[in-house]
Amino acid sequence: MLCFGRAYPAISRILPSCVRPYSSAVIPDEKGIQLGGIYPPLTTPFNADETISFDKLADNLTQYARIPFAGYVVQGSNGEYPFLEKEEKLQIVKFVKDFIKESNKPLIAGSGCESTKATIRLTEEMAACGADAVMVVTPSYFKISMNDAAMIAHYTTVADSSPVPVILYSVPANTGIDLSIDAIQILAKHPNIIGLKDSGGDVTRIGSIVQKTRGQDFKVLSGSASFLLPSYLAGSVGGVCALANVLGDVLCHMHSLYEKNIIDKELQRRLIDPNNMVTRRFGVAGMKAALDMFGYYGGPNRSPMLSVSAEARLVIKKAFVDNEFVPQSR
């Protein structure tokens, strides 16, 4: 396996070098990375036997290196995070960090677990493996108990212990929980919480969060390309968007236009249907099908998630073509 032309060590030798016994961490004196721009939430490439294909991950990263992404996200929903074993999650963090090191772009890793204790431990280990920040999804199994007090205590304890900055992650479509604006307003004051990825789709809510956290070193990232431009207008600084895996150059172009005060409403409208194909309608399986269409490696999903049918692939392709995004399959 090659990484920038260098022989990459066997994966079995990666884990011991980056996982260390847990110890109390010291909060950094100042918030580390500054959020802004487009971050692709990387998919996890699998072989036919559902083992991770690090060769294909390297192939995708090599192509992504030509796109002006602000950084990369691993272990998000698009990475099939719930289906990965802990050791696999850490291996991916280490692999991606080593691969992108020369770019000096930050790596954000999803470390959210159901318990605070497990989240702290995984956060510590992901930081040791190279994560520059962690993105912590809301715990959700015991929904009726996940009130503001529980969420504030959870995130505060994690941020107190984390050796890297923490990003809140609210994705109600998957968790059934929308982190409240009141809780976010309190958590934004924490010196080690730098922002929020909001995937709920309520642009009014995004604007309210930006307004209520003004004066804090706290940024909001859009969680979807479907409302990327409106979220910019509401005060977000970028996005962690599934569609960036396929149309990364297009989303980065939109970001660049906005920085120049150019509002391309037509481009935003063209992104909606393709984005729907790889999120709400077909999910990660649709994302991987689109990756295959556009010259990246998508490949199979890990069971029990099934790959999309041949008929669904035609529907997905049509949504891209109808909006002038032409597949370039290998």
Side-chain angles (χ1 to χ4, degrees):
M1 186 177 301
L2 299 180
C3 177
F4 288 136
R6 300 190 301 270
Y8 199 84
I11 295 304
S12 62
R13 296 198 294 273
I14 293 176
L15 197 56
S17 66
C18 66
V19 177
R20 303 173 187 137
Y22 174 77
S23 61
S24 296
V26 178
I27 297 175
D29 292 333
E30 57 185 43
K31 297 183 178 182
I33 68 174
Q34 290 296 315
L35 296 178
I38 302 298
Y39 303 77
L42 300 177
T43 58
T44 301
F46 294 115
N47 297 304
D49 63 358
E50 297 192 7
T51 57
I52 296 172
S53 176
F54 288 93
D55 286 327
K56 297 302 184 183
L57 179 55
D59 288 346
N60 285 350
L61 287 168
T62 297
Q63 295 194 69
Y64 289 149
R66 298 191 288 267
I67 300 173
F69 288 129
Y72 299 89
V73 174
V74 294
Q75 314 309 340
S77 304
N78 285 280
E80 296 176 67
Y81 172 87
F83 295 164
L84 299 178
E85 297 177 7
K86 178 181 176 182
E87 291 77 12
E88 292 176 320
K89 295 172 183 176
L90 296 175
Q91 288 168 358
I92 290 172
V93 171
K94 179 67 166 60
F95 183 90
V96 174
K97 182 60 178 181
D98 285 352
F99 201 99
I100 69 171
K101 189 176 296 182
E102 294 177 6
S103 73
N104 292 318
K105 292 181 179 181
L107 176 63
I108 301 169
S111 67
C113 302
E114 284 300 307
S115 76
T116 304
K117 181 178 180 180
T119 303
I120 290 171
R121 180 60 186 255
L122 187 56
T123 295
E124 180 89 357
E125 291 174 337
M126 285 186 166
C129 286
D132 298 291
V134 291
M135 190 170 67
V136 180
V137 70
T138 53
S140 60
Y141 186 83
F142 295 104
K143 288 182 176 59
I144 61 172
S145 298
M146 294 299 103
N147 54 29
D148 280 3
M151 289 295 184
I152 292 168
H154 173 71
Y155 280 110
T156 299
T157 304
V158 170
D160 283 346
S161 300
S162 177
V164 294
V166 172
I167 299 166
L168 312 175
Y169 181 21
S170 183
V171 54
N174 288 351
T175 65
I177 292 177
D178 214 355
L179 191 60
S180 79
I181 295 176
D182 289 341
I184 293 168
Q185 187 175 3
I186 292 170
L187 291 167
K189 298 176 183 178
H190 193 288
N192 203 29
I193 296 178
I194 63 171
L196 163 75
K197 176 190 175 184
D198 194 298
S199 297
D202 185 342
V203 177
T204 301
R205 166 185 157 89
I206 289 175
S208 180
I209 292 168
V210 171
Q211 180 67 10
K212 290 179 181 294
T213 59
R214 66 190 187 282
Q216 305 294 328
D217 188 7
F218 184 87
K219 302 294 189 296
V220 178
L221 295 169
S222 169
S224 174
S226 287
F227 51 88
L228 181 59
L229 180 55
S231 77
Y232 280 134
L233 296 173
S236 74
V237 298
V240 180
C241 304
L243 194 61
N245 285 293
V246 181
L247 299 180
D249 51 350
V250 178
L251 269 61
C252 287
H253 177 62
M254 174 175 281
H255 179 80
S256 177
L257 289 176
Y258 183 74
E259 286 190 318
K260 299 172 184 175
N261 294 316
I262 300 173
I263 308 301
D264 193 334
K265 294 180 288 185
E266 174 65 19
L267 177 56
Q268 174 62 78
R269 288 193 293 268
R270 288 168 54 208
L271 292 173
I272 293 174
D273 284 347
N275 185 75
N276 184 51
M277 294 295 115
V278 302
T279 54
R280 296 190 179 202
R281 184 163 182 185
F282 296 108
V284 183
M287 167 64 66
K288 287 191 166 182
L291 283 168
D292 288 331
M293 293 174 196
F294 279 83
Y296 299 99
Y297 179 81
N301 298 93
R302 180 166 279 183
S303 58
M305 190 183 298
L306 302 177
S307 297
V308 296
S309 65
E311 292 78 8
R313 288 176 182 270
L314 292 176
V315 173
I316 293 168
K317 182 177 181 179
K318 186 176 187 300
F320 280 90
V321 172
D322 286 352
N323 286 282
E324 302 177 35
F325 302 117
V326 182
Q328 301 174 350
S329 299
R330 290 171 293 184

